[in-house]
Amino acid sequence: MPIRTRAAALAALTVAALAAGTVLTAPAGAAPKAATAKAAPPKFLSASELPPHPSSAWTAGPVTDGFPVELAYCLGEGVPAYDYRHRAFHTDLDTGAVQVTVVTGSAAKGKALAALLDKEIRTCADRIEASDPEVEAEGRFYGTLPVEEGATVHGLHTEASWGASDVHLLSVGRDGRTVTVVGWGQMGDFGDAPVGAFKKTAKKAVDKLY
């Protein structure tokens, strides 16, 4: 299947999410600068900590301010305004990944944000189908991970009427007031998703924050 079909499908989903009112980044609601100035920023995954690709090495991009557009298909409309930071990853083929982190004002706010993001991912398939009748979507829950304040792992498969088929894995984890989301995606279906390896990556993402 040409890679352009995958790009077209994700572009359509992203545009739909943005049109619905995506909040990609904003300073409102962020932790006071005075409270976070002395704290070390949370660390991000490295390329070697992502699920191994069978035929291509991962390349890590720089850590960048803002909410990643790569997650707009699931976490677009309704994402609270915080100071998000993210890092995108890619291979030479059709596989990509992204990690986003945010330091909220308190552990209670971090807990609330993690719960909201997890809910958004759980309902992502239904919202995709409601927004685009030419795309069928199915979500799966792969369980929780025993790391810090916990993490959840989800899967998402989308299939467009023109033939594009993509599978995604997403996790939401928290360490105190800090929340991190990891997303992975490529062409294929649930059978192509490295769930076991992704769980290790999701756990590492939370462990590595501090």
Side-chain angles (χ1 to χ4, degrees):
M1 182 181 299
I3 292 178
R4 69 173 183 273
T5 60
R6 176 180 182 272
L10 290 181
L13 294 176
T14 299
V15 169
L18 293 172
T22 301
V23 178
L24 294 182
T25 182
K33 290 185 178 180
T36 58
K38 297 181 180 180
K43 296 179 181 178
F44 282 77
L45 292 166
S46 63
S48 63
E49 292 163 334
L50 293 174
H53 192 280
S55 60
S56 179
W58 285 100
T59 298
V63 175
T64 305
D65 291 337
F67 195 88
V69 69
E70 291 90 343
L71 293 178
Y73 64 93
C74 257
L75 300 175
E77 182 181 6
V79 173
Y82 279 102
D83 288 334
Y84 298 95
R85 301 171 74 228
H86 70 275
R87 167 177 273 178
F89 306 83
H90 70 273
T91 67
D92 292 335
L93 300 177
D94 67 316
T95 308
V98 65
Q99 180 186 10
V100 58
T101 67
V102 56
V103 181
T104 66
S106 66
K109 289 182 178 179
K111 181 178 180 180
L113 178 60
L116 175 61
L117 295 176
D118 188 70
K119 179 181 177 182
E120 290 292 299
I121 292 173
R122 285 177 182 269
T123 60
C124 182
D126 290 340
R127 287 184 284 112
I128 287 175
E129 289 191 340
S131 66
D132 190 341
E134 294 193 32
V135 177
E136 294 183 358
E138 178 188 353
R140 292 186 181 180
F141 178 57
Y142 289 117
T144 61
L145 301 175
V147 55
E148 298 300 339
E149 277 67 59
T152 57
V153 179
H154 303 266
L156 173 72
H157 175 242
T158 58
E159 186 169 2
S161 60
W162 58 87
S165 178
D166 295 280
V167 62
H168 301 268
L169 296 173
L170 301 111
S171 68
V172 179
R174 182 173 69 91
D175 183 354
R177 63 178 182 168
T178 302
V179 178
T180 188
V181 177
V182 180
W184 171 100
Q186 70 173 33
M187 293 171 61
D189 55 28
F190 286 122
D192 301 304
V195 177
F198 182 79
K199 285 185 175 182
K200 293 180 181 179
T201 295
K203 186 175 185 296
K204 183 66 176 180
V206 180
D207 270 334
K208 193 177 181 179
L209 288 172
Y210 299 105

